[in-house]
Amino acid sequence: MTNTFRTLRLGILFPAAALAGLALSGCGGGGDGTQAPVAAPAPSVSGPAPSVSYPAAQAGDPVFSSSCASTPTKAAIGPFSTQPGDCFVSYRITDADLTAMKAAGGHSPTLPVRVLADAKAAFKDSIDVVMVLLDQSEAEFKDGKLPYGINWPVNTCSPHATTCPRFGRLGQIWLNRPTFLTNGPSLHELLHGYLNRMARDGTTGFVIPTEQADHWGFSSANGQLGGWDPAQFKARPDGSYSANNFGTVANYGNATKYGNLDLWVMGLVSDSELQAVQVAVGANWTGDGTYTAFTASRIDTYAPEQIIARVLPAGRPSTAT
């Protein structure tokens, strides 16, 4: 993790009533799905760890301890309190801060801008993403006034552009529960960071033209931003279509693997490995309550070269970056 995402993890905040947690890492933003829950359990993993080749470290990259069990090296760094092992820091916010965020539906930039400025002033490492975990009470969480997860872009450039500043390349992520780091939508939000400034807009000019802004919608992308499993897609005798149970903005939290299109967007597979994507035009759920059957005026297929051509030149992903 040290060399792939040059990351500083900032942990959970512990204010008197409202708590917030910070993690600095590599990520991006988006919403939760109503069709498919985003806070699903993480899948179990067995077998040997895959062999990974990391890029060489650069001068100034942070070095992290392998354990979070030791006494903090430094009790506080600026306004941040250091937690055991130097893996997390806490940052106290006020009830008024949280109330203002909720009043704006989570989209008020005032608090995030302040936290980001404090993080940038306190930590000098090259940080890809600032991740904040809000440590709310059960009652505060259940009032439903904050989205599961959201990302504010930090830079006005694509993270794929080599000229984009290193600090905050993948955005500033806010998750409204600490458990949403492990259960989702943390992976969903991480993916959104790579999409910043990558396409002309979030709908007709998106990586694939979707009626669900900035997400994969009714398509065969089958990833963290929604879409069906192409292996289960079929046309039905009545002219409608069906696939697996899927969402148009999210697919079951961190239990969902990144799809092929997700991996290409992140620069983890090359142009030659990118697969074609089907997109349903004028799609709507049939209303049977299963989120498997839908109607559409037609199904368009976008070949890899067509998808690549839709991306802005400065936002082209590459395995080299």
Side-chain angles (χ1 to χ4, degrees):
M1 198 70 173
T2 301
N3 292 330
T4 305
F5 298 116
R6 293 165 178 89
T7 302
L8 173 61
R9 300 183 181 95
L10 299 182
I12 300 170
L13 298 181
F14 302 101
L19 311 181
L22 298 173
L24 298 188
S25 166
C27 302
D32 59 291
T34 53
Q35 303 94 350
V38 296
S44 60
V45 179
S46 60
S51 175
V52 180
S53 177
Y54 294 115
Q58 297 183 25
D61 282 349
V63 178
F64 301 112
S65 62
S66 59
S67 169
C68 293
S70 60
T71 302
T73 303
K74 193 173 182 179
I77 303 172
F80 301 95
S81 298
T82 315
Q83 302 304 306
D86 300 331
C87 291
F88 295 89
V89 297
S90 61
Y91 181 101
R92 185 175 297 271
I93 64 175
T94 67
D95 287 340
D97 288 331
L98 191 61
T99 298
M101 276 195 77
K102 289 183 175 182
H107 290 77
S108 173
T110 305
L111 178 59
V113 166
R114 190 176 81 221
V115 171
L116 180 64
D118 286 344
K120 196 169 184 178
F123 301 99
K124 303 304 181 184
D125 295 318
S126 297
I127 296 166
D128 286 311
V129 63
V130 177
M131 182 176 288
V132 181
L133 313 177
L134 287 172
D135 190 16
Q136 303 180 87
S137 68
E138 188 70 14
E140 287 170 330
F141 168 69
K142 285 186 175 180
D143 71 9
K145 293 179 181 177
L146 289 175
Y148 277 16
I150 192 168
N151 169 269
W152 286 272
V154 172
N155 297 306
T156 58
C157 51
S158 167
H160 300 291
T162 57
T163 54
C164 197
R166 287 282 297 277
F167 192 95
R169 290 177 79 114
L170 298 175
Q172 182 182 13
I173 297 175
W174 284 64
L175 304 173
N176 77 352
R177 282 217 120 168
T179 54
F180 291 170
L181 177 63
T182 53
N183 293 354
S186 57
L187 295 183
H188 175 108
E189 302 303 331
L190 174 60
L191 178 60
H192 272 292
Y194 290 90
L195 286 158
N196 181 40
R197 306 280 174 158
M198 188 172 172
R200 292 191 304 276
D201 58 57
T203 52
T204 57
F206 198 40
V207 176
I208 54 173
T210 171
E211 296 174 26
Q212 185 69 56
D214 300 309
H215 293 81
W216 300 145
F218 288 91
S219 78
S220 63
N222 191 33
Q224 274 289 330
L225 302 188
W228 67 73
D229 179 354
Q232 299 190 46
F233 174 77
K234 62 183 178 181
R236 305 202 307 180
D238 64 1
S240 64
Y241 304 91
S242 69
N244 58 304
N245 185 283
F246 71 94
T248 57
V249 296
N251 278 339
Y252 303 101
N254 286 358
T256 296
K257 296 178 180 180
Y258 284 125
N260 175 264
L261 184 58
D262 296 347
L263 296 174
W264 179 75
V265 162
M266 298 169 82
L268 297 177
V269 300
S270 64
D271 289 355
S272 63
E273 297 171 276
L274 178 62
Q275 299 168 3
V277 176
Q278 291 181 306
V279 178
V281 178
N284 289 287
W285 298 110
T286 59
D288 63 1
T290 64
Y291 296 108
T292 61
F294 61 94
T295 60
S297 58
R298 67 178 190 273
I299 304 293
D300 291 344
T301 299
Y302 288 82
E305 58 270 20
Q306 291 175 302
I307 297 172
I308 293 169
R310 293 181 63 85
V311 174
L312 295 171
R316 280 282 301 275
S318 167
T319 54
T321 56

